[in-house]
Amino acid sequence: MTEPATGVMDAVLDPAETDERAEPAWGAVVSLALGVFGLVTAEFLPASLLTPLAQDLGVTEGTAGQAVTATAVVGAIAAPTMAIVTRRLDRRLVMWALTVLLILSNLLAAFASSLPVLLIARIMLGISLGGFWSMSAAMAMRLVPMRLMPRAMSIILTGVSVATVCAAPVGAYVGDIWGWRTAFMIAAVVSALALLVQVATIPRLPPAGVASFRTLFEVLKRPMIRVALLVVVLVASGHFAGFTYVRPFLEKVPALDIETISLVLLAYGVGGFFGNFAGGFMAERNLKTAVGMAPLLIAVAALLLLTVGASPVVAAIAVAAWGFAFGAVPVGLQTWLVRAAPDQAESAGGLMVATFQVAIALGAVFGGLLVDNAGVASAFAYCGIATLLAALAAFFLGPRNADQAQT
């Protein structure tokens, strides 16, 4: 499964740690899922606590919202550089350090007395977030045989699905009852529990390759990596251009009340939870189908909302299907990238995370421009076109099998 060294790598993965691994280290995989849950929970908390947080720090909600922006920007920078900065360290130690940074970020946010302190906390979170996402797939590849890689990624990404469903409502509830600082304290405790499980379960994982900035460019030269990143740009920009404005659409077109909208968004989150497992199931059997069908289903959902979205039932089904499809996206793409660069999986993962973050920002900005100048429907139209193009790219340019993924 691995490629020969190219001069920019001092080592490649030991076969004993990939396809020939005798026993999957499922405990370590679950510990990574707990880490993901802690990271995504911390990332989502400001959205549900923004009003009391802003009032307590004496700033506007718009200014306080820059805490979210800071996390995304730093995450985009940390993702492709983490493998380079930590290239000589055992990956177990790096993961522990990233989780410790997550804990410290939550504690600093809980005791923040000003916006600059909060921003420092969120910058720390961005480093942890970017580093974790860039390394998670590469670590999973060494914890289980390659044939079980999609299943391992679906378990890890379960942490995202659960946090997406729970973090915002639980954060809002805790913030209302005990204050917003308590919500960050609870997030720190959850992260500490994840660290304990990681310490107990993650085996020694010496660095498997020497990453550098040159390595990033070498990885980018691989055709399947470029196609995968193109799919990432199209899916992420399309999704965030459209879904960012799904609530205004539900308020205006099917004219749903706030309680019904909350239920529809809950259905989106639940759909994402099951979509994650469905993505892993499909990726184990046909990687191209897994990567292509998810954006195609998002395009269909966007089309339904544009054409018959005035029906409350259709709108609810379309949003739930959207959540299911988007939940399946990361599993297939992470598996694709790891198979395309098994010898430099961390660099490939870093490129994916950085591309995803940039695409999120571009999609949100472009979607906002479309909504302001041409209405919500135009953002959904762009979403449908972009995700359809992503599906076509996956079906026509993607790998036909696992071996072709490496060429």
Side-chain angles (χ1 to χ4, degrees), residues 289-349:
T289 300
V291 176
M293 287 300 295
L296 183 60
L297 183 54
I298 295 176
V300 171
L303 177 63
L304 286 174
L305 290 171
L306 282 172
T307 54
V308 287
S311 165
V313 174
V314 172
I317 293 173
V319 171
W322 193 333
F324 179 88
F326 194 68
V329 166
V331 181
L333 284 173
Q334 289 269 27
T335 303
W336 182 348
L337 280 158
V338 165
R339 288 182 179 175
D343 49 351
Q344 289 296 340
E346 291 179 5
S347 294

Side-chain angles (χ1 to χ4, degrees), residues 154-227:
S154 69
I155 292 173
I156 292 172
L157 293 169
T158 299
V160 177
S161 302
V162 175
T164 300
V165 174
C166 300
V170 171
Y173 177 79
V174 170
D176 184 57
I177 301 298
W178 293 297
W180 67 270
R181 297 179 187 276
T182 303
F184 279 103
M185 288 294 296
I186 293 175
V189 172
V190 170
S191 303
L193 292 175
L195 177 61
L196 290 177
V197 179
Q198 289 172 4
V199 170
T201 60
I202 299 178
R204 288 185 66 255
L205 296 171
V210 180
S212 66
F213 287 106
R214 184 181 175 188
T215 304
L216 293 175
F217 290 106
E218 291 289 337
V219 171
L220 271 174
K221 291 180 181 179
R222 305 184 189 189
M224 285 299 103
I225 291 289
R226 294 198 297 270
V227 174

Side-chain angles (χ1 to χ4, degrees), residues 238 241-243 245 302 306 322 366-368 370-371 374-384:
F243 197 77
Y245 304 98
L306 282 172
W322 193 333
F366 187 53
L370 288 174
V371 170
V376 174
S378 63
F380 283 10
Y382 170 74
C383 172

Side-chain angles (χ1 to χ4, degrees), residues 207-274:
V210 180
S212 66
F213 287 106
R214 184 181 175 188
T215 304
L216 293 175
F217 290 106
E218 291 289 337
V219 171
L220 271 174
K221 291 180 181 179
R222 305 184 189 189
M224 285 299 103
I225 291 289
R226 294 198 297 270
V227 174
L229 294 180
L230 172 63
V231 173
V232 169
V233 169
L234 291 170
V235 172
S237 66
H239 170 79
F240 285 95
F243 197 77
T244 301
Y245 304 98
V246 73
R247 176 172 172 172
F249 176 88
L250 294 174
E251 289 173 336
K252 295 174 183 177
V253 180
L256 303 181
D257 56 44
I258 186 62
E259 290 79 11
T260 305
I261 290 175
S262 297
L263 290 175
V264 171
L265 294 178
L266 177 62
Y268 169 88
V270 173
F273 178 82
F274 288 104

Side-chain angles (χ1 to χ4, degrees), residues 46-58:
S48 59
L49 302 168
L50 203 58
T51 300
L53 185 153
Q55 291 175 348
D56 196 13
L57 297 181

